[in-house]
Amino acid sequence: MGRLNNVRIHKSKIRLTDLRKIPEKERALFVLLGHLVNELNVLNKTFYLCSQFKEEPKWRTHAHISQALVFARVLVGKLYEGWELLRKGYFESQISIRYDENLNEEAKEGLGKLKQYFGRDNLIKEIRNNFAFHYSVEDAKSVLGHELNEEELLMYLAENNGNTLYYFSEYVVNYALLEAIVKGDPGKALERLIDESAQVVSWFNNLASGIMVHITEEYLLGSDGRLTLEPIELGQLPVAEKIEIPYFFTSEPA
């Protein structure tokens, strides 16, 4: 993956008077879908970037895996909360009755995939309930009965709290997490977690974009029927594969 030159984004200003013209339920959905997508994209990018690191020395691996899976658990929890937002703010509000047929094809596909996924038992819900937003005492008790690798039961202690890592805790919790996904194969479990969460993120992005485009076209276009766009040149951006987010840091200048 090479460098991209002259990357461009576009800024569009929303007038408060136009925002207030949107019916209350649709306005709330418009705001919260944007908020949801922002959170999902930040967490998904950070999870990806935290997963990139040199594997040696061992303390580096421990720190980076712990950091990456913190973001992974929060991301999965937010995905479930995103479905709850759709359930209450899109389906139960009956906005979906008017909007479904007007969505673009990508949004319709995302909607169908999300309904199918969350309409049955799924990995997102299980992780959200037991590992993301709740602390399962029972899972912790259960894992401690397994044959754990004592070489992984470590603490990294520092004067700076930000550099302290109780790795043994992450090892135990993540062991339980990965066992809940695929028993006896942590590599396959992690691969499924990454692939499945990324897929659900993409469905949310496609559906949210379709709904927000429809609201924008109905209420926020200018008198000429167009959206005012101001280009912003970002210049040369760093390549994702070359970014590493450190766990250990210092606030003292060199």
Side-chain angles (χ1 to χ4, degrees), residues 98-137:
R98 294 188 295 109
Y99 274 53
D100 279 359
E101 292 303 314
N102 296 310
L103 297 175
N104 60 41
E105 290 307 311
E106 278 194 339
K108 286 180 180 179
E109 182 181 4
L111 175 60
K113 295 288 188 182
L114 288 169
K115 282 182 175 180
Q116 183 180 27
Y117 184 83
F118 286 101
R120 55 179 168 77
D121 290 338
N122 59 81
L123 181 64
I124 299 297
K125 183 177 181 180
E126 182 176 358
I127 295 177
R128 182 263 187 191
N129 287 341
N130 294 319
F131 299 99
F133 295 161
H134 300 87
Y135 298 101
S136 174
V137 174

Side-chain angles (χ1 to χ4, degrees), residues 167-187:
Y167 178 70
F168 75 95
S169 295
E170 297 308 303
Y171 172 65
V172 170
V173 170
N174 291 330
Y175 183 99
L177 168 66
L178 297 175
E179 279 289 294
I181 299 172
V182 179
K183 287 189 178 297
D185 195 330

Side-chain angles (χ1 to χ4, degrees), residues 6-247:
N6 301 318
V7 176
R8 176 184 295 174
I9 61 174
H10 292 86
K11 180 173 71 174
S12 180
K13 184 177 181 179
I14 299 174
R15 293 186 294 270
L16 182 58
T17 52
D18 289 341
L19 192 61
R20 287 173 173 163
K21 290 177 184 176
I22 304 174
E24 186 177 49
K25 291 180 181 179
E26 289 163 80
R27 183 170 65 235
L29 181 64
F30 185 67
V31 170
L32 290 176
L33 281 178
H35 178 55
L36 169 67
V37 168
N38 290 339
E39 288 194 322
L40 295 183
N41 289 338
V42 168
L43 290 168
N44 196 38
K45 287 190 293 184
T46 308
F47 174 34
Y48 174 75
L49 295 177
C50 286
S51 301
Q52 299 182 145
F53 56 89
K54 297 175 183 177
E55 295 185 0
E56 294 296 337
K58 195 70 172 178
W59 54 261
R60 180 190 293 272
T61 300
H62 288 162
H64 281 266
I65 286 178
S66 298
Q67 181 169 254
L69 286 175
V70 167
F71 284 102
R73 291 192 297 269
V74 177
L75 171 61
V76 168
K78 287 292 185 178
L79 287 170
Y80 183 82
E81 296 306 308
W83 177 247
E84 287 295 290
L85 168 61
L86 286 177
R87 188 176 62 81
K88 296 175 183 177
Y90 188 63
F91 302 119
E92 291 182 6
S93 68
Q94 299 189 330
I95 293 174
S96 60
I97 296 174
R98 294 188 295 109
Y99 274 53
D100 279 359
E101 292 303 314
N102 296 310
L103 297 175
N104 60 41
E105 290 307 311
E106 278 194 339
K108 286 180 180 179
E109 182 181 4
L111 175 60
K113 295 288 188 182
L114 288 169
K115 282 182 175 180
Q116 183 180 27
Y117 184 83
F118 286 101
R120 55 179 168 77
D121 290 338
N122 59 81
L123 181 64
I124 299 297
K125 183 177 181 180
E126 182 176 358
I127 295 177
R128 182 263 187 191
N129 287 341
N130 294 319
F131 299 99
F133 295 161
H134 300 87
Y135 298 101
S136 174
V137 174
E138 293 307 314
D139 279 334
K141 289 178 181 177
S142 174
V143 171
L144 290 173
H146 289 231
E147 290 297 323
L148 301 178
N149 183 355
E150 286 193 354
E151 297 300 316
E152 301 292 306
L153 301 179
L154 300 170
M155 297 187 291
Y156 297 99
L157 306 175
E159 293 182 6
N160 181 336
N161 288 332
N163 285 337
T164 292
L165 174 62
Y166 299 107
Y167 178 70
F168 75 95
S169 295
E170 297 308 303
Y171 172 65
V172 170
V173 170
N174 291 330
Y175 183 99
L177 168 66
L178 297 175
E179 279 289 294
I181 299 172
V182 179
K183 287 189 178 297
D185 195 330
K188 281 188 178 180
L190 184 59
E191 183 178 341
R192 182 184 168 192
L193 173 61
I194 293 170
D195 291 346
E196 203 159 310
S197 59
Q199 184 65 77
V200 179
V201 167
S202 72
W203 295 336
F204 270 113
N205 267 293
N206 291 341
L207 175 58
S209 175
I211 295 172
M212 295 179 76
V213 164
H214 185 68
I215 292 176
T216 298
E217 290 176 344
E218 190 164 344
Y219 300 105
L220 301 178
L221 297 183
S223 57
D224 59 355
R226 303 177 67 180
L227 198 64
T228 302
L229 299 174
E230 178 186 336
I232 299 175
E233 301 293 340
L234 299 183
Q236 191 177 70
L237 299 182
V239 178
E241 284 79 0
K242 296 184 180 294
I243 299 173
E244 179 181 311
I245 299 180
Y247 180 89

